[in-house]
């Protein structure tokens, strides 16, 4: 009995093999993990390395044969993860939380807006759409980065541009240092210029809080309603089980009720 309880303990991660490692930018990389699990776009897993720590990472793929995790190096834990290689073992528990409600959104036109690392969970949405393309109408993608050197998922951009209406912007191209022929300026500027109407459209949004707030303001000026917008909220999730209460937003737990929320459910969340 004790052994069975230990195996099913949601606090205890299990080891999984890394199938592939590839670097997206100087400080961003993607891991492909040999784990077979059902999940929704926007859900996350808790990744750990003994003696170093644990971190919540969004799933950026849609497959039942593996998961992909896109990770930015921002501290000891993510730096340690960046030193792993194909064939190494990693500890994972999850997936956790609620993702983007893709089944409920069937039949809609979709607008995806991602900023920086916020493109990562939206990559899982894009993969899901590709696997279920007949369920959705037009798809518009807005992706914004600091510079051309910060663009992630470069290997997918040509295909996305061919299939969808894709717009990529960079805040600035330092002195033309990089070979880049796209738009320069904040992603919110591109959003302002876009001819968008709210008819039969749903917006899926992820990125820095200030970028999401500005994007929502622009969308509302264009006639979008709060219940047409879904955001992935940024809160550090320690336990992922609603125990530590660290990730609470307006009485809801990000790790259990989110990280994806319909905007009217946590309106003005940044002031909590």
């Amino acid at each position: 009995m004790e052994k069975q309880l230990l195996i099913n303990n949601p606090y205890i991660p299990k080891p999984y093999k890394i199938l592939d490692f590839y670097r997206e930018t100087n400080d961003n990389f993607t891991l492909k993990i040999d784990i077979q699990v059902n999940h929704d776009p926007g859900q996350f897993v808790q990744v750990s390395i003994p003696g170093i720590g644990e971190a919540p990472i969004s799933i950026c793929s849609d497959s039942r044969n593996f998961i992909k995790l896109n990770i930015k190096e921002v501290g000891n834990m993510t730096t340690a993860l960046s030193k792993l290689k194909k064939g190494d073992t990693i500890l994972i528990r999850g997936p956790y939380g609620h993702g983007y409600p893709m089944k409920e959104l069937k039949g809609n036109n979709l607008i995806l807006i991602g900023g920086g690392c916020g493109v990562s969970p939206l990559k899982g949405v894009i993969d899901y759409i590709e696997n279920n393309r007949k369920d959705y109408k037009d798809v518009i993608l807005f992706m914004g980065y600091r510079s051309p050197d910060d663009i992630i998922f470069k290997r997918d951009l040509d295909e996305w541009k061919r299939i969808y209406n894709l717009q990529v912007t960079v805040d600035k191209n330092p002195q033309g240092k990089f070979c880049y022929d796209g738009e320069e300026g904040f992603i919110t500027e591109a959003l302002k210029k876009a001819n968008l109407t709210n008819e039969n459209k749903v917006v899926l949004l992820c990125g820095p809080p200030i970028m999401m707030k500005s994007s929502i303001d622009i969308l509302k000026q264009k006639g979008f309603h709060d219940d047409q917008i879904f955001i992935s909220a940024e809160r550090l999730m320690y336990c992922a089980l609603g125990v530590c209460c660290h990730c609470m937003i307006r009485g809801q737990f990000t790790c259990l009720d989110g990280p994806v929320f319909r905007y009217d459910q946590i309106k003005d969340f940044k002031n909590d």
Side-chain angles (χ1 to χ4, degrees):
M1 178 63 70
E2 272 187 33
K3 185 176 181 181
Q4 184 65 31
L5 288 174
L6 183 64
I7 291 174
N8 294 330
N9 190 328
Y11 285 98
I12 297 177
K14 297 179 181 179
Y16 298 96
K17 183 175 290 188
I18 296 175
L19 297 174
D20 205 355
F21 175 107
Y22 36 93
R23 187 159 287 282
E24 306 283 353
T25 70
N26 288 335
D27 62 356
N28 184 287
F29 59 96
T30 297
L31 298 176
K32 182 179 179 181
I33 313 296
D34 184 17
I35 173 174
Q36 292 78 47
V37 63
N38 291 324
H39 62 85
D40 295 322
Q43 285 190 294
F44 69 98
V45 293
Q46 292 285 120
V47 181
S48 59
I49 296 178
I52 296 178
E54 185 178 55
I57 307 291
S58 295
I59 300 170
C60 66
S61 58
D62 182 63
S63 173
R64 298 303 168 260
N65 298 317
F66 61 83
I67 64 171
K68 290 184 179 180
L69 306 175
N70 179 257
I71 301 166
K72 183 177 177 63
E73 296 175 50
V74 293
N76 292 337
M77 178 60 188
T78 51
T79 298
L81 290 172
S82 74
K83 299 183 186 304
L84 298 175
K85 58 186 182 300
K86 181 178 178 180
D88 286 345
T89 297
I90 193 171
L91 296 178
I92 292 177
R93 58 185 177 95
Y96 296 111
H98 285 105
Y100 294 97
M102 301 306 297
K103 292 179 182 178
E104 298 174 22
L105 302 181
K106 288 182 180 180
N108 283 284
N109 299 298
L110 302 179
I111 301 172
L112 279 60
I113 306 171
C117 293
V119 174
S120 296
L122 294 180
K123 166 70 161 55
V125 174
I126 296 170
D127 285 1
Y128 184 93
I129 293 171
E130 290 177 1
N131 292 333
N132 302 273
R133 189 63 189 93
K134 68 182 185 302
D135 292 335
Y136 306 96
K137 296 181 180 179
D138 293 338
V139 179
I140 303 175
L141 310 178
F142 291 91
M143 298 179 181
Y145 302 93
R146 287 179 302 175
S147 77
D149 202 38
D150 293 304
I151 296 175
I152 58 178
F153 308 125
K154 290 185 178 77
R155 67 182 67 80
D156 298 298
L157 292 183
D158 287 342
E159 183 68 6
W160 291 347
K161 189 172 184 179
R162 184 183 70 82
I163 299 175
Y164 309 114
N165 183 346
L166 169 66
Q167 185 158 5
V168 177
T169 67
V170 297
D171 298 349
K172 193 172 183 180
N173 185 5
Q175 299 179 345
K177 179 179 176 182
F178 304 100
C179 181
Y180 174 72
D181 58 2
E183 282 202 37
E184 188 172 334
F186 294 120
I187 191 65
T188 48
E189 295 173 8
L191 197 58
K192 281 181 184 178
K193 296 175 185 176
N195 183 22
L196 300 176
T197 63
N198 69 341
E199 186 178 352
N200 195 29
K201 290 185 176 71
V202 176
V203 180
L204 310 182
L205 183 59
C206 188
I210 189 170
M211 168 262 180
M212 291 201 293
K213 179 64 170 65
S214 297
S215 296
I216 290 169
D217 289 344
I218 294 167
L219 290 166
K220 293 179 75 170
Q221 290 170 15
K222 291 178 179 289
F224 286 80
H225 304 294
D226 292 340
D227 61 1
Q228 289 179 273
I229 302 170
F230 292 82
I231 69 168
S232 182
E234 287 190 355
R235 286 291 192 279
L236 185 56
M237 294 166 281
Y238 288 137
C239 70
L241 296 167
V243 176
C244 71
C245 300
H246 187 271
C247 64
M248 185 175 285
I249 304 176
R250 299 183 71 84
Q252 299 187 79
F253 294 107
T254 305
C255 64
L256 296 180
D257 305 305
V260 175
F261 295 93
R262 201 175 66 198
Y263 183 61
D264 59 318
Q265 296 174 327
I266 54 168
K267 192 174 178 179
D268 301 322
F269 69 95
K270 78 181 188 67
N271 294 323
D272 280 43

